[in-house]
Amino acid sequence: MLQHSQVKGPGIGLLGISKGGDLCISMASFLKGITATVIINGSVANVGAVLRYKDITIPPLGINQKRIKIDKSGIADIVDVLNNPLEGADRQSFIPLEKAEGHFLFIVGKDDHNWKSEFFATEASNRLQAHGKEKPAIVCYPGAGHYIEPPFSPMCSASMHVVGNPVIWGGEPKAHSVAQVDAWQKIQAFFHKHLSGKQCVTGKL
């Protein structure tokens, strides 16, 4: 990426949502030159499949499908499906983000029904600080669901999921829309600050 003509450098910024969030955390943890990483409702544990990098293997966080709740219309609520990455063998799935050299911003929808994003962001902060690293920025939005997309995108309250069922993503329309606008400003401010060294006029972080 640093060799690309449209990449200014000297660092790289990453932005990931949902599963893309834990992939970005993994990249920031293992690759050089990652200066700023934004995670929108992502996990701090590896989710879904085994992650391999050189001689490192990180197993996926365990799940328990018995914790899926199905409503009258057949839509699943999977917020409790994932195991706790702080317990037992599932601790091996925790991504070693303390190895990262850059800065983190966690965007959290407090009504996320895909997984417990606020818990993941808090544990990421705890782990970073326990290793003497900078406390990450965490911005929480009450009433916002899982997919906090760019401003004015239609809110996706439910859709099909890789689990094979339609699932609820959470969110209340007005609060979610407000979160989209504010989060986008804060994301831009974060990247301006840590990639260009310039303060963005709006969305100060």
Side-chain angles (χ1 to χ4, degrees), residues 17 42-43 53 75 80 89 98 121 131 155-156 159 172 189 191 205:
I17 184 170
S43 169
Y53 176 71
I75 298 177
D80 294 318
E98 68 275 6
H131 286 81
M155 189 187 90
C156 182
S159 69
E172 185 277 321
F191 282 139
L205 191 65

Side-chain angles (χ1 to χ4, degrees), residues 10-175:
I12 295 289
L14 303 176
L15 171 62
I17 184 170
S18 192
K19 171 61 184 176
D22 76 67
L23 290 175
C24 285
I25 293 175
S26 297
M27 292 173 68
S29 300
F30 297 122
L31 304 179
K32 301 293 184 182
I34 308 298
T35 307
T37 303
V38 177
I39 301 96
I40 303 174
N41 288 325
S43 169
V44 77
N46 178 44
V47 178
V50 175
L51 177 72
R52 293 184 176 89
Y53 176 71
K54 295 184 177 179
D55 60 345
I56 299 169
T57 300
I58 301 179
L61 184 61
I63 63 171
N64 184 343
Q65 293 192 352
K66 293 180 179 179
R67 295 195 288 257
I68 296 176
K69 303 180 186 74
I70 307 291
D71 70 10
K72 294 178 182 178
S73 59
I75 298 177
D77 187 334
I78 61 173
V79 71
D80 294 318
V81 169
L82 291 176
N83 292 344
N84 188 333
L86 305 179
E87 297 178 351
D90 287 297
R91 288 180 292 184
Q92 297 176 19
S93 69
F94 207 110
I95 301 165
L97 74 169
E98 68 275 6
K99 297 180 181 295
E101 299 175 350
H103 306 272
F104 288 98
L105 166 61
F106 289 86
I107 301 292
V108 173
K110 296 194 74 167
D111 192 40
D112 184 355
H113 278 258
N114 183 67
W115 49 37
K116 298 176 180 179
S117 298
E118 186 174 12
F119 166 77
F120 288 141
T122 299
E123 290 309 319
S125 179
N126 291 342
R127 183 154 181 160
L128 285 168
Q129 292 180 83
H131 286 81
K133 294 299 182 75
E134 175 185 82
K135 182 179 180 180
I138 301 176
V139 182
C140 296
Y141 295 100
H146 186 62
Y147 284 119
I148 302 177
E149 294 164 319
F152 317 116
S153 300
M155 189 187 90
C156 182
S157 58
S159 69
M160 287 301 295
H161 190 281
V162 293
V163 298
N165 290 83
V167 302
I168 183 171
W169 302 116
E172 185 277 321
K174 182 176 181 179

